Amino acid sequence: MAQRLGMRGLARSLHGRLFNGVSLMTVRTYTEGSKLFVGGISFRTTEDSLREAFAEHGEVIDTKIILDRETGRSRGFGFVTFYKEEDAETALSKLNGFNLDGRVIRVDRATARPPRPASDFGSGMGFGSSFASGASSSEPAQDEDWGSIPSLDADMSKQ
């Protein structure tokens, strides 16, 4: 009889088994409610110090401080993911308004990022994008009559 296994079931069934002489490590999964947004992060805060502050309230499986693409500096916010949703809830209630590295941080549940608008070149901005042109990418472009420009009669004799 075939049995369907989810990720947790698969991890439990394979845990400790040997494949080609190598033991499989436990596969870790988490629920969506266990990811927290952390705002107001100091430029001095590192992912390790962020993990350390939040690990006091439960098992942290990931920390990420968002960096500016151009400068490589922190943008002042990041995310912390807990293994258990209950631990995330505890950290949210205890650390919201907490002073971390000289800055008061704001902790909230992370939400999914809204989808980006479609564009001709995939960037959402710049040449050929639907944002720059004002046209929706799902509608065909239409020529519109913008009216006429009255001629400009300049008196060139007064030079």
Side-chain angles (χ1 to χ4, degrees):
M1 176 181 358
Q3 181 181 12
R4 285 184 62 159
L5 295 174
M7 282 299 288
R8 286 187 180 184
L10 178 64
R12 285 187 191 117
S13 68
L14 295 177
H15 183 67
R17 296 206 179 159
L18 294 176
F19 287 88
N20 296 330
V22 178
S23 176
L24 291 178
M25 296 174 56
T26 303
V27 175
R28 290 270 156 139
T29 60
Y30 62 94
T31 60
E32 195 167 311
S34 64
K35 189 170 190 176
L36 300 177
F37 167 85
V38 184
I41 295 174
S42 168
F43 291 126
R44 294 187 313 257
T45 302
T46 64
E47 288 183 0
D48 288 337
S49 64
L50 187 64
R51 176 184 297 271
E52 199 174 291
F54 280 79
E56 294 177 13
H57 304 286
E59 185 179 355
V60 174
I61 59 174
D62 187 40
T63 56
K64 180 72 178 161
I65 294 178
I66 306 304
L67 304 177
D68 183 90
R69 287 186 192 134
E70 306 264 332
T71 65
R73 283 183 61 176
S74 168
R75 292 188 56 199
F77 69 94
F79 299 93
V80 177
T81 307
F82 283 89
Y83 181 61
K84 294 181 183 174
E85 192 170 344
E86 304 84 46
D87 294 342
E89 186 64 40
T90 302
L92 178 105
S93 65
K94 301 271 187 186
L95 295 176
N96 190 28
F98 179 74
N99 190 328
L100 179 64
D101 293 331
R103 297 281 309 262
V104 175
I105 59 172
R106 181 176 73 90
V107 182
D108 203 354
R109 293 216 176 270
T111 57
R113 187 174 12 185
R116 290 184 158 179
S119 68
D120 297 338
F121 295 102
S123 68
M125 296 290 284
F127 180 76
S129 73
S130 60
F131 178 78
S133 68
S136 170
S137 62
S138 61
E139 298 175 10
Q142 295 180 348
D143 290 331
E144 294 184 23
D145 183 13
W146 290 91
S148 60
I149 300 174
S151 63
L152 179 64
D153 293 326
D155 188 6
M156 300 298 287
S157 63
K158 295 183 180 181
Q159 289 184 351

